[in-house]
């Protein structure tokens, strides 16, 4: 199992200090199962963009069920911003 976690961290280039014990595999497997089900139910797609739109909408629906806060989300979001700055728009500050 440790080798699988190391491979997971290598694929996503997570920082070395990222806690490995907080990986919630049941939640991830549940989400993957629901996404696979949606793809199988829908069948063929005219192009890749259509499939991505369906997955996006499915993730939005799944996110409505999530009630627990995501552990270490701020660190992950910061890391994603470094890896993909064009996909992570900066938050605009509200003048007070």
């Amino acid at each position: 199992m440790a080798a699988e976690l190391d491979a997971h961290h290598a694929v996503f280039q997570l920082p070395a200090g990222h806690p490995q014990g907080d990986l919630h595999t049941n939640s991830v497997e549940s989400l993957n199962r629901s996404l696979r089900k949606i793809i199988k139910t829908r069948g063929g797609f005219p192009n890749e963009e259509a499939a991505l739109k369906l997955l996006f909408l499915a993730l939005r629906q799944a996110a409505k069920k999530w009630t627990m806060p995501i552990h270490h989300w701020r660190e992950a979001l910061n890391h994603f911003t470094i890896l993909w700055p064009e996909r992570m728009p900066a938050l605009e500050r509200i003048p007070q």
Side-chain angles (χ1 to χ4, degrees):
M1 173 120 171
E4 292 173 6
L5 289 175
D6 289 340
H8 171 78
H9 281 252
V11 168
F12 289 104
Q13 300 175 354
L14 295 174
H18 187 78
Q20 294 183 2
D22 284 342
L23 296 175
H24 302 286
T25 55
N26 289 340
S27 300
V28 172
E29 289 174 4
S30 173
L31 178 62
N32 284 340
R33 185 175 32 255
S34 66
L35 293 176
R36 281 193 308 270
K37 181 180 177 183
I38 289 169
I39 293 292
K40 284 183 177 181
T41 303
R42 172 61 174 87
F45 297 94
N47 55 35
E48 184 178 350
E49 185 178 354
L52 290 175
K53 283 182 182 179
L54 181 68
L55 290 174
F56 170 77
L57 293 173
L59 286 172
R60 280 183 54 189
Q61 285 300 109
K64 291 179 182 178
K65 297 183 216 173
W66 298 339
T67 58
M68 294 181 58
I70 300 171
H71 295 289
H72 305 288
W73 177 245
R74 183 165 304 282
E75 292 94 356
L77 190 57
N78 289 337
H79 190 69
F80 297 153
T81 303
I82 292 169
L83 291 176
W84 302 291
E86 68 281 356
R87 294 185 180 191
M88 306 297 291
L91 295 175
E92 295 181 25
R93 297 201 179 260
I94 301 172
Q96 295 181 4

